[in-house]
Amino acid sequence: MGTLKITVIGAGVIGLSCAYELTDVGHEVTVVDAGAVGAGGSAGNAGWVTPFLSTPRAAPGAVRDAVRSFTSAEGPARMRPHAEPGFATWVFQFLRASSKARSEQATASLQAFSRRAIRHFDSLAERGVGFDQYTAGLAVVFKQPHNLDHYAQLLARIRSLGYDGEVSVHRGSDAADFDPAIRRDMAGVMHLESERHVRPETLTDGLAKAILAGGGQIVEHERVVRLASSGRGRWTVVTADGRAIPCDQVVVAAGYPSRALLRPLGVTVPLEAAKGTSMTARGEGTVPSHPLKLYENMVACSPFGKTVRLSGTFDLGRRDSTLDRKRLDMVVRQGLGYLQDWRPTDIDIEWAGHRPTSVDDLPVIGPAPGHEGLYLATGHGTLGITLGPLTGALAAQEIAHRQHQPCLDPFRLTRFANRTKRRV
């Protein structure tokens, strides 16, 4: 196959990973984004690379949690009604996907897929992509002993699906000995020793630099408003500034806005925006030596050298980009409740962004049926960092080499149409 002209829409970790891999095999790639490189959902998240936690939120208990979210201001996840009629349909389909059978199938698919994730971070580093990466594992911290015992059951389940990472448990005061930043009255810690974390801004920056060094182009602050097909796999990507980019292939990796961009083509992607928030700061006291999942409050604590990021919330239906001060203050307050003495003094970043989430909480990866030259890579939810480089590598194999990747089959767009047909 000759050199292709490829336009990737979206300069988050998914789009940049796709663009880098396609540039790396010699294609002419242009990345277009409505904002700056890495400034969307990739900017302020925890940065975890965690195959163990690659499980869908659409799971048994989601109905109960959804009901609670309407009345609780303190919960990590909230669901708020949206005026758009399609929101109710999305919620209904999400709750249907939370059945035990469907959740188990989705978990097995994600676990099989994510097992390859870490090696692709190694591949990026070996090829000279620069980013800050930490290999101390991931520690799940528990206030209540019964929650630690429950998590041990989850470990057994994930093990049965092929997870082979090293895991150790530290109970009582041993948890503070394991990481002195943890309060001494915590019930315990489960240390997932094989997991990693990165500072996500450095990953998107490193990928962008590698794309440019490889001859690719990046267009920032230009929103794509239309995709026009002239048939035979030829496309024109049109921006709000009037730029028209002709290409042989389009990769749509624009997160939640992918939904509206694809709708005029008759391509329906059931995505919703799940709003997250974080604070990144330097401070006083003991900085954690491990990234921490603060279990009862579902807050993520990620140390980047002397800097700490506290992140959380999964607010479905909140599509605005404004920072919700009450939600951010809640995340910080709850996160500090697990730490011995670290307190923020110099705030670097306060952030709010969206995780594009499908109705079954699985990514959408693969060709758009009936549209030659149109490829989707979106809907990764909270797993964008974990699955980004892997998604990019496999998408490039399918686009550049026409090599079907069976491990992507559970994530094809056609799965939604197939389920609709089965219900009829």
Side-chain angles (χ1 to χ4, degrees):
M1 179 181 296
T3 301
L4 296 173
K5 290 186 177 181
I6 303 171
T7 302
V8 177
I9 304 170
V13 67
I14 305 298
L16 292 171
S17 294
C18 293
Y20 169 71
E21 296 293 349
L22 290 163
T23 302
D24 198 46
V25 294
H27 295 292
E28 297 180 21
V29 179
T30 300
V31 181
V32 187
D33 196 280
V37 163
S42 298
N45 63 62
W48 292 352
V49 183
T50 175
F52 182 90
L53 294 178
S54 295
T55 57
R57 284 179 176 265
V63 175
R64 175 200 62 215
D65 294 341
V67 172
R68 288 178 178 174
S69 76
F70 285 105
T71 58
S72 172
E74 291 288 297
R78 299 181 74 182
M79 186 179 295
R80 288 294 179 262
H82 199 279
E84 180 188 275
F87 181 71
T89 301
W90 188 95
V91 171
F92 175 73
Q93 292 176 340
F94 180 84
L95 297 180
R96 283 181 63 92
S98 302
S99 68
K100 186 173 185 293
R102 288 183 61 180
S103 177
E104 287 180 351
Q105 182 181 20
T107 299
S109 297
L110 276 177
Q111 282 293 307
F113 188 46
S114 66
R115 208 169 299 147
R116 309 179 180 197
I118 286 177
R119 76 181 72 164
H120 285 275
F121 281 85
D122 291 337
S123 175
L124 291 180
E126 290 164 2
R127 287 181 283 167
V129 178
F131 57 97
D132 296 344
Q133 180 172 214
Y134 307 85
T135 58
L138 172 68
V140 188
V141 185
F142 302 89
K143 289 182 177 179
Q144 302 297 329
H146 70 272
N147 287 331
L148 176 53
D149 294 337
H150 172 75
Y151 221 70
Q153 298 174 17
L154 174 63
L155 172 61
R157 179 186 173 201
I158 300 301
R159 287 274 196 225
S160 72
L161 295 173
Y163 180 79
D164 60 359
E166 296 293 325
V167 179
S168 57
V169 176
H170 308 269
R171 294 182 181 271
S173 61
D174 289 344
D177 294 335
F178 161 76
D179 192 324
I182 299 172
R183 280 178 49 163
R184 300 198 69 84
D185 58 352
M186 295 294 103
V189 167
M190 180 177 289
H191 183 206
L192 308 171
E193 300 177 26
S194 303
E195 314 295 89
R196 302 181 184 181
H197 74 293
V198 302
R199 180 140 188 181
E201 305 98 305
T202 68
L203 178 59
T204 53
D205 182 64
L207 286 166
K209 288 177 178 176
I211 291 165
L212 294 173
Q217 299 182 28
I218 299 177
V219 178
E220 299 178 279
H221 306 292
E222 285 198 38
R223 182 172 58 91
V224 174
V225 294
R226 186 164 59 91
L227 304 177
S229 172
S230 59
R232 303 181 303 280
R234 295 290 299 169
W235 292 85
T236 301
V237 175
V238 182
T239 74
D241 290 4
R243 186 191 300 260
I245 306 171
C247 53
D248 306 300
Q249 178 84 41
V250 178
V251 179
V252 179
Y256 173 70
S258 301
R259 189 181 78 156
L261 187 60
L262 292 165
R263 187 184 296 122
L265 300 174
V267 178
T268 301
V269 185
L271 292 178
E272 189 48 66
K275 192 174 183 179
T277 189
S278 71
M279 177 205 70
T280 308
R282 289 176 176 261
E284 298 176 342
T286 309
V287 175
S289 53
H290 303 80
L292 308 174
K293 178 180 174 66
L294 309 175
Y295 180 78
E296 283 82 4
N297 295 110
M298 294 301 168
V299 171
C301 176
S302 294
F304 306 123
K306 295 182 180 180
T307 301
V308 173
R309 174 169 294 166
L310 292 169
S311 57
T313 71
F314 191 84
D315 293 347
L316 283 164
R318 293 291 304 276
R319 301 172 184 171
D320 63 286
S321 298
T322 58
L323 179 71
D324 187 326
R325 172 59 56 185
K326 289 183 179 179
R327 294 293 276 167
L328 176 58
D329 289 348
M330 178 200 75
V331 168
V332 173
R333 171 171 41 81
Q334 292 178 344
L336 295 180
Y338 290 77
L339 301 182
Q340 180 65 25
D341 58 10
W342 185 86
R343 296 296 181 269
T345 56
D346 300 308
I347 296 175
D348 183 19
I349 302 169
E350 293 183 326
W351 170 88
H354 299 102
R355 293 91 162 221
T357 305
S358 70
V359 292
D360 55 9
D361 205 21
L362 297 181
V364 180
I365 310 170
H371 295 275
E372 183 182 353
L374 182 61
Y375 197 93
L376 312 184
T378 188
H380 289 68
T382 59
L383 297 174
I385 296 295
T386 297
L387 301 179
L390 170 59
T391 296
L394 296 180
Q397 289 294 315
E398 294 204 320
I399 294 167
H401 302 297
R402 298 290 192 265
Q403 294 178 352
H404 175 80
Q405 301 297 310
C407 63
L408 292 178
D409 288 347
F411 312 116
R412 308 293 187 190
L413 183 64
T414 51
R415 71 184 187 268
F416 302 116
N418 291 341
R419 289 196 180 278
T420 300
K421 290 176 182 176
R422 284 198 292 269
R423 289 199 300 269
V424 175

